[in-house]
Amino acid sequence: MLSLLTITAVLALASTTTALPASQCRCTDPTAACWPNAAEWNRLNATVGGKLIAVTPPAASCHEGDAGDAACADEIHNQFDSAWRINQPGAMQNMNWESPNPLQTCLPTANATTPCFQGAVPVLAVNATSASDVQAAIVFAGEYNLRLSVRSTGHDYQGRSTAVGSLLVWVRHMDVPVVHDEKFVPEGCSGEGVTAVTAGPGTSNVELVQANGAAGVAVGTGAGTTVSVSGGLITSGGHSPLSRKLGLATQNVLELEVVTADGKLLIANRCQNQDLFWALRGGGGGTFGVVTRTTLRTYPSLPVATTLLQLVPPTAAALDAFFNDWVEAQASLAASGWAGYFYIGLNFMAVAYLNPGAESAEAANATFAPVWAAIEKHGMNSHGFPGVFSGTRWFPTYQDWYSVVIGPPSASPGAHVSSRLFDASLLENNASAVASTLLAVRPSNGNPVIGHLVGAGAIGSEFAAEETSLNPAWRTSPLHVVVTNSWED
Ligand SMILES: Cc1cc2nc3c(=O)[nH]c(=O)nc-3n(C[C@H](O)[C@H](O)[C@H](O)COP(=O)(O)OP(=O)(O)OC[C@H]3O[C@@H](n4cnc5c(N)ncnc54)[C@H](O)[C@@H]3O)c2cc1C
């Protein structure tokens, strides 16, 4: 995919002159005088042990005469496979971010005569496998006034992990999670320590769940299997199926290793670089540095009861009436330990709820009674999730639950997303208004509004004393709602 030939072609664009003063705009044009020359790129390549790679749009192999070859067939076959995309340095999960100009795209196509534009795909990447690779890339970008992009998996909803004319720090391959045998004491701290797992920034949620599950422990990171634990997720909160029970991912961070913009490698925890530790836990991806290692507190694995439903209403009015009762039930479901996800579309509803720590399906089911009553009252037809099951089941561990219930997400040609947190007081005192609002904002293209019952709970109680830069509304808002619309072009 990334041949030496391609790197040489990019390097050949380089001029012989060097950097502009840092006060000027970033150098983003490989043909401009400010762009590093071949010898300078070679120096970076030598520093990072040959891990400087040329980056092409993921569908480049389908253009310019190559359509029909094996690489193009592979691309067309895998283009919506999220797990495939996280391993392509040029790929974003929402493909629109690769091509900001809709007239200059590089789409998977069988028509080899259409040109392939680089778009917002970075020009070159350091395929980092160590913190020193990350340092070298950051220092080099600073030296030559280059635009730097930082990517672990490319899930960013706003496209912030890719940029026109940039040098990418790609951390997907810094990914081995290690569950500690001994209790972990953050560097520079004292005390007994706690059970913990350390992950590189390429570790995805599913990889962490598997490593933890094998060791009989759990921590809530995210539901999305292919999202990185240590990139945008922990730096912006990290809600999960367990967050109401075990806190947001970022509230469980014990220590971060981070490379800052001056190229320094720092340890941030409650005993050193506390301001950075505070800022990184909520301040957002790519803002205060590149995280190269994350250590999270773990807990003994816990059982999970779960209820999965696909609901088809007899009429549109019945769906609206059922949904009103569903939202009315959220405060009591949350108080009974339920969490999870619901999807309300124009003519269907789906539910994937779980009750972490429940001792049995029956015990959990008893507290789901208001929903069963509403299903009957409004004549909703209840079907199973295709390929999974319908109704309530119990799993002995979180990992067992995760491996059955959470499937891989699909990548999307283009989506823009907005979200809101709904305070507990709204669910308790004004649920009907919340329900009618969510029904009103359903996109007309049929995309469901997605409700995440993942906030408040332990986030605002057991973990309230954790000092982080998180949006404080997470502490009091059980419901996080996401509306996704297609990209219009
Ligand atoms: C299908 C899907 C499922 C999702 N599921 C969940 C979920 O269950 N829970 C949840 O909380 N969120 C979820 N999200 C949102 C997700 O957490 C954010 O989009 C997050 O920013 C993705 O982080 P990433 O590092 O994997 O992606 P990237 O696109 O690689 O990076 C996102 C941002 O973080 C920066 N960044 C990447 N790596 C690093 C690093 N090592 N150090 C510093 N900055 C870095 C990037 O520059 C960018 O600004 C989901 C998103 C999608 C698309």
Side-chain angles (χ1 to χ4, degrees):
M1 172 187 54
L2 297 161
S3 65
L4 190 59
L5 191 66
T6 344
I7 296 179
T8 315
V10 174
L11 297 183
L13 294 171
S15 77
T16 50
T17 53
T18 54
L20 290 172
S23 59
Q24 297 192 14
C25 292
R26 298 281 178 226
C27 180
T28 57
D29 180 356
T31 64
C34 57
W35 194 254
N37 64 33
E40 289 158 341
W41 283 115
N42 282 336
R43 177 169 62 81
L44 173 62
N45 195 28
T47 310
V48 297
K51 284 173 272 183
L52 180 67
I53 55 176
V55 187
T56 51
S61 58
C62 293
H63 294 257
E64 292 157 17
D66 291 336
D69 71 7
C72 175
D74 191 42
E75 150 64 23
I76 289 177
H77 178 72
N78 290 306
Q79 58 180 306
F80 296 112
D81 181 345
S82 173
W84 181 83
R85 293 192 84 78
I86 65 173
N87 291 320
Q88 315 304 314
M92 295 294 286
Q93 296 289 318
N94 289 315
M95 301 169 205
N96 53 290
W97 299 117
E98 295 162 16
S99 310
N101 180 344
L103 299 176
Q104 297 191 346
T105 58
C106 186
L107 299 173
T109 172
N111 180 358
T113 59
T114 50
C116 169
F117 292 92
Q118 187 78 9
V121 173
V123 183
L124 289 153
V126 170
N127 183 7
T129 56
S130 67
S132 60
D133 292 343
V134 175
Q135 288 177 285
I138 289 179
V139 168
F140 187 85
E143 216 176 316
Y144 292 95
N145 197 29
L146 302 175
R147 181 184 285 179
L148 193 73
S149 43
V150 182
R151 162 116 38 96
S152 51
T153 67
H155 277 82
D156 195 280
Y157 281 124
Q158 312 298 333
R160 288 167 294 201
S161 45
T162 196
V164 173
S166 62
L167 169 65
L168 172 68
V169 181
W170 191 34
V171 295
R172 165 66 183 140
H173 296 118
M174 300 175 67
D175 72 344
V176 182
V178 176
V179 180
H180 294 268
D181 292 332
E182 307 286 330
K183 287 192 172 173
F184 180 85
V185 180
E187 191 182 296
C189 301
S190 54
E192 197 194 333
V194 293
T195 57
V197 60
T198 295
T203 301
S204 65
N205 283 325
V206 67
E207 289 160 352
L208 194 78
V209 169
Q210 285 164 355
N212 280 339
V217 296
V219 61
T221 49
T225 52
T226 45
V227 175
S228 157
V229 174
S230 306
L233 188 135
I234 51 135
T235 52
S236 44
H239 59 76
S240 79
L242 295 180
S243 47
R244 288 182 42 74
K245 178 98 179 161
L246 299 179
L248 291 166
T250 208
Q251 293 178 307
N252 284 295
V253 173
L254 299 169
E255 182 168 288
L256 296 166
E257 181 189 84
V258 58
V259 180
T260 46
D262 53 7
K264 284 192 183 137
L265 181 65
L266 301 176
I267 295 291
N269 59 36
R270 66 183 156 83
C271 302
Q272 56 182 305
N273 295 309
Q274 292 93 333
D275 50 352
L276 189 58
F277 190 52
W278 180 86
L280 281 166
R281 292 181 303 150
T287 45
F288 295 97
V290 179
V291 175
T292 51
R293 198 154 44 87
T294 302
T295 301
L296 294 147
R297 181 175 3 204
T298 59
Y299 303 86
S301 192
L302 67 177
V304 169
T306 195
T307 298
L308 304 185
L309 298 167
Q310 287 259 32
L311 298 169
V312 180
T315 62
L319 180 63
D320 290 4
F322 170 78
F323 188 66
N324 183 71
D325 288 0
W326 166 259
V327 177
E328 295 263 5
Q330 294 309 300
S332 91
L333 292 179
S336 309
W338 287 93
Y341 309 90
F342 64 83
Y343 308 79
I344 175 74
L346 295 174
N347 52 17
F348 78 99
M349 184 166 166
V351 171
Y353 264 35
L354 72 160
N355 199 315
E359 286 176 2
S360 66
E362 294 70 31
N365 221 359
T367 56
F368 214 69
V371 181
W372 299 125
I375 287 174
E376 202 170 321
K377 177 174 150 199
H378 299 291
M380 302 290 283
N381 294 305
S382 168
H383 304 278
F385 263 49
V388 194
F389 63 87
S390 177
T392 306
R393 283 203 191 165
W394 184 85
F395 293 85
T397 69
Y398 176 63
Q399 187 204 5
D400 292 331
W401 173 85
Y402 192 93
S403 63
V404 171
V405 173
I406 303 291
S410 299
S412 136
H416 53 98
V417 174
S418 50
S419 66
R420 293 288 185 277
L421 288 166
F422 286 76
D423 193 83
S425 60
L426 284 171
L427 295 179
E428 281 154 20
N429 307 323
N430 222 344
S432 288
V434 173
S436 55
T437 302
L438 300 188
L439 289 170
V441 297
R442 285 173 296 176
S444 56
N445 65 5
N447 281 352
V449 167
I450 308 177
H452 304 54
L453 190 69
V454 293
I459 298 164
S461 52
E462 285 96 310
F463 291 87
E466 282 293 330
E467 290 187 6
T468 67
S469 52
L470 266 178
N471 180 343
W474 275 108
R475 296 181 179 170
T476 57
S477 305
L479 186 61
H480 170 55
V481 173
V482 173
V483 181
T484 307
N485 227 322
S486 304
W487 196 256
E488 291 144 25
D489 58 26

